């Protein structure tokens, strides 16, 4: 097994593209090292991108935020500007692992691990986040929800690396929120989760909305029917009840030792109501 810590993204792409055996990207290692220790993966080459300075930055420009793929989640939680603009995204990121893990783990690693229960992904999907991808053929940008295609599988082509996550500049009167259900309060995997992102008009009526569910299907669900219910409303009790029903109906979960299909469907609706109300309240404060 070879371990390489390149100084540039170009070198990392070349190493990945030219690898003769199984190659793995190490951004934080909180997923990769666990999978290696469990015998689920044994790469011939590990490329540690934490040495690439450009990937360890969070920057803001006229279009929004650029979050490098090697930025630890703890750094996101400490970024006051990002927390004000996208509190739901930060909520998802800061629920990954323990305090120690937070210093290493990244939202891009969480995304590329392609777990249906990933904490940061539903909030990113609800936010309309995009992934900036670099590879031997150049650059491309796609919606975050297009990266995972199934448990443990992504749409990335050979040699491609996600350079950054892009979040749009916040419109006035916008808010987002994320919550999950876990048996324990810390260091557990979501049994089901929900994220809502919405924008209000000057009268406090929802004019744009996105609703995403995690651990409810093989990949994160973007529930258009639920978003349509929110649009045109002031997120009253009747709207929230219809939202919950739409989210429960959209779920395609499995039965396992952590939760039944029936339970997951019920909780998905409950969480959707809670985060929709929180997002609405946050939007009204901006």
């Amino acid at each position: 097994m070879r371990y390489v810590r390149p100084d540039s993204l170009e070198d990392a792409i070349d190493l990945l593209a030219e690898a003769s055996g199984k190659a793995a990207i190490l951004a934080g290692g909180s997923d990769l090292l666990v999978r290696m220790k469990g015998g689920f993966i044994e790469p011939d080459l590990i490329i540690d991108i934490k040495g690439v300075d450009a990937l360890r930055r969070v920057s803001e420009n006229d279009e929004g935020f650029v979050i490098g793929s090697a930025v630890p989640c703890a750094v996101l939680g400490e970024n006051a500007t990002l927390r004000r603009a996208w509190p739901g995204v930060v909520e998802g990121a800061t629920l990954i692992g323990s305090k120690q893990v937070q210093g290493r783990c990244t939202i891009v690693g969480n995304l590329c691990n392609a777990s249906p229960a990933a904490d940061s992904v539903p909030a990113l999907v609800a936010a309309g986040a995009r992934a900036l991808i670099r590879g031997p053929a150049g650059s491309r940008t796609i919606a975050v929800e297009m990266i995972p295609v199934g448990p443990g599988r992504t749409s990335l082509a050979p040699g491609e690396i996600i350079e950054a996550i892009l979040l749009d500049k916040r419109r006035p009167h916008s808010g987002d929120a994320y919550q999950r259900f876990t048996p324990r309060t810390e260091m557990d995997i979501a049994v089901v989760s929900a994220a809502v992102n919405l924008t209000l008009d000057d009268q406090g009526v929802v004019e744009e909305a996105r609703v995403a569910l995690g651990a409810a299907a093989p990949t994160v669900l973007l529930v258009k029917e639920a978003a349509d219910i929110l649009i045109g409303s002031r997120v009253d009790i009747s709207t929230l009840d219809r939202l919950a029903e739409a989210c429960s109906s959209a779920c395609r979960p499995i039965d396992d030792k952590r939760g039944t299909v029936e339970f997951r469907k019920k909780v998905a609706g409950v969480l959707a109501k809670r985060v929709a109300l929180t997002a609405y309240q946050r939007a009204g404060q901006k």
Side-chain angles (χ1 to χ4, degrees):
M1 182 185 294
R2 292 175 59 212
Y3 167 87
V4 184
R5 186 180 171 94
D7 296 324
S8 70
L9 180 59
E10 289 73 21
D11 288 345
I13 292 170
D14 289 343
L15 284 164
L16 189 60
E18 296 169 5
S20 56
K22 294 180 181 179
I25 298 294
L26 190 153
S30 55
D31 285 317
L32 176 63
L33 298 180
V34 171
R35 292 172 66 194
M36 289 173 61
K37 188 173 182 179
F40 299 107
I41 183 174
E42 189 173 339
D44 301 293
L45 172 65
I46 295 176
I47 304 168
D48 185 351
I49 61 172
K50 274 284 201 287
V52 182
D53 288 340
L55 303 184
R56 300 204 310 265
R57 300 173 188 160
V58 179
S59 58
E60 186 180 9
N61 54 38
D62 292 340
E63 297 178 352
F65 291 90
V66 180
I67 302 172
S69 57
V71 175
C73 290
V75 172
L76 301 184
E78 294 167 357
N79 190 308
T81 305
L82 182 63
R83 280 203 318 269
R84 283 193 300 271
W86 292 102
V89 170
V90 175
E91 282 169 342
T94 54
L95 281 173
I96 302 170
S98 63
K99 293 289 186 183
Q100 295 88 339
V101 169
Q102 281 282 306
R104 289 288 303 178
C105 66
T106 69
I107 56 174
V108 170
N110 197 225
L111 173 65
C112 291
N113 190 49
S115 166
D119 275 313
S120 67
V121 182
L124 289 171
V125 171
R130 290 157 291 131
L132 174 60
I133 301 168
R134 288 272 297 276
S139 300
R140 62 189 180 105
T141 302
I142 64 173
V144 160
E145 58 264 32
M146 296 177 66
I147 297 293
V149 294
R153 298 184 293 114
T154 74
S155 62
L156 295 175
E160 286 190 326
I161 295 176
I162 296 180
E163 180 178 354
I165 296 295
L166 309 178
L167 288 166
D168 288 338
K169 185 176 181 179
R170 262 313 203 184
R171 290 181 55 194
H173 308 302
S174 296
D176 68 324
Y178 171 80
Q179 285 189 24
R180 68 179 184 180
F181 174 83
T182 58
R184 300 183 300 177
T185 57
E186 300 290 341
M187 294 178 63
D188 210 340
I189 299 171
V191 176
V192 68
S193 60
V196 171
N197 173 39
L198 45 78
T199 299
L200 314 181
D201 64 16
D202 293 337
Q203 284 71 49
V205 175
V206 178
E207 62 179 12
E208 291 183 12
R210 285 171 67 93
V211 179
L213 302 175
T219 60
V220 169
L221 289 175
L222 185 61
V223 189
K224 185 179 183 303
E225 297 83 357
D228 289 342
I229 289 169
L230 289 172
I231 294 171
S233 79
R234 295 179 186 271
V235 192
D236 53 22
I237 293 175
S238 174
T239 299
L240 290 173
D241 287 341
R242 292 168 56 217
L243 170 73
E245 185 177 346
C247 287
S248 295
S249 297
C251 287
R252 304 193 308 274
I254 60 171
D255 279 312
D256 62 18
K257 63 183 180 181
R258 293 168 45 245
T260 63
V261 168
E262 182 181 8
F263 178 78
R264 283 187 162 106
K265 286 187 173 185
K266 175 67 174 179
V267 175
V270 172
L271 291 180
K273 290 172 66 172
R274 292 177 181 176
V275 294
L277 187 56
T278 299
Y280 183 74
Q281 292 169 343
R282 287 171 174 171
Q285 295 170 359
K286 296 180 181 181

